[in-house]
Amino acid sequence: MKYFLIHKDLPAEIRRNLSFFGECVPLPAFEKLPFAVCSHPDMLIAQIGGKLLIHEEYRQGRELLTSLGMPFVLSHTPVSAKYPEDIRLNCFCLDNRFISNEKYVSQDALRIAKEFGFRSVSVPQGYAKCSCAVAGNAVATADRGIEKILRADGADVLLLQPYTIGIEVYDTGFIGGASVLLDENTLGFFGNVELFEQYEMLKDFFARRGVSLISLGCGPLFDYGGAIDVSV
């Protein structure tokens, strides 16, 4: 069974379209994180080599994963609503790389990545996963620090110009938080991706890597913290 762990307030239209690819499971809010992102999957759970890593103090999240039969590992690194203690699990894997702000990411994340044979690549951006749309072993990001480091490391990267994506409370959201990999050849977006000002460039970049873009909603893109796909 394939599940998508999603923001609890993901709109019904997006949830309905996402459900064609897997069952949607809303994540409860975690009060230790800032209000605007306390239900964002990319702030609550990390997925490393197929293993789920969850905040030790996120009791409701742990209970939910247990009820679904999803094994997980606890992150013991302290977390709070104050940056950088909120970004402990904001990390992702790309090919053989584990990408995060190594100084502030969970030590348990670094340990698990090492156990799976991933090579740690540290970036200045604490919200590493939020900042990147990832598919086809390639990354699209507007973060110049991430782009510079990954490109120097030999990764396949598209640098986007600064953009505006909706998000609660903050000025702008991120492309990673507004997207989810539906399967290895399909990248979905929370909203109508064709309304995104750099749509053609984004579409062409991923098309050359065998990945198509689809819209899960009809309005402008909105950052709901992505989604985490889990098969059990």
Side-chain angles (χ1 to χ4, degrees):
M1 182 71 184
K2 182 172 180 175
Y3 295 93
F4 285 103
L5 305 179
I6 62 169
H7 191 298
K8 66 180 180 63
D9 296 326
L10 197 66
E13 177 193 27
I14 296 176
R15 189 181 300 196
R16 182 171 61 252
N17 290 328
L18 184 57
S19 68
F20 287 110
F21 296 87
E23 183 175 337
C24 293
V25 178
L27 289 170
F30 181 35
E31 69 282 353
K32 285 271 188 176
L33 292 176
F35 167 76
V37 296
C38 66
S39 295
H40 280 215
D42 54 20
M43 301 288 284
L44 296 170
I45 299 171
Q47 191 173 47
I48 307 168
K51 183 170 286 188
L52 299 180
L53 181 66
I54 187 170
H55 297 294
E56 180 180 25
E57 297 173 85
Y58 183 30
R59 179 182 55 81
Q60 288 180 295
R62 298 199 329 262
E63 291 174 352
L64 175 63
L65 297 190
T66 298
S67 71
L68 294 169
M70 297 180 183
F72 58 86
V73 178
L74 297 179
S75 170
H76 303 286
T77 304
V79 60
S80 78
K82 184 178 179 181
Y83 183 89
E85 292 181 353
D86 60 336
I87 53 91
R88 303 304 194 188
L89 300 183
N90 211 290
C91 51
F92 68 98
C93 299
L94 178 71
D95 197 16
N96 67 335
R97 305 171 184 87
F98 174 72
I99 299 161
S100 69
N101 183 314
E102 197 173 275
K103 183 176 180 181
Y104 300 119
V105 75
S106 166
Q107 292 301 302
D108 295 288
L110 289 169
R111 174 181 56 80
I112 292 169
K114 185 176 181 179
E115 289 174 358
F116 274 96
F118 290 106
R119 178 170 52 83
S120 181
V121 177
S122 187
V123 296
Q125 173 61 266
Y127 300 100
K129 190 174 191 298
C130 295
S131 301
C132 298
V134 183
N137 281 328
V139 171
T141 183
D143 189 285
R144 290 185 176 274
I146 291 177
E147 185 266 345
K148 181 179 179 181
I149 288 173
L150 291 188
R151 192 177 298 280
D153 196 64
D156 193 4
V157 189
L158 171 67
L159 180 63
L160 298 168
Q161 296 304 308
Y163 52 70
T164 299
I165 286 177
I167 190 172
E168 192 171 7
V169 178
Y170 300 120
D171 291 337
T172 188
F174 294 109
I175 192 81
S179 61
V180 54
L181 190 63
L182 302 173
D183 56 47
E184 62 180 14
N185 300 118
T186 314
L187 186 60
F189 286 84
F190 299 148
N192 184 350
V193 67
E194 294 185 30
L195 298 178
F196 183 57
E197 52 262 43
Q198 299 168 71
Y199 168 67
E200 292 296 336
M201 181 168 60
L202 194 67
K203 180 184 71 171
D204 292 346
F205 174 76
F206 281 114
R208 292 194 296 272
R209 288 135 188 96
V211 176
S212 60
L213 312 184
I214 69 168
S215 299
L216 297 171
C218 60
L221 297 188
F222 200 93
D223 183 344
Y224 289 102
I228 300 171
D229 69 289
V230 184
S231 295
V232 294

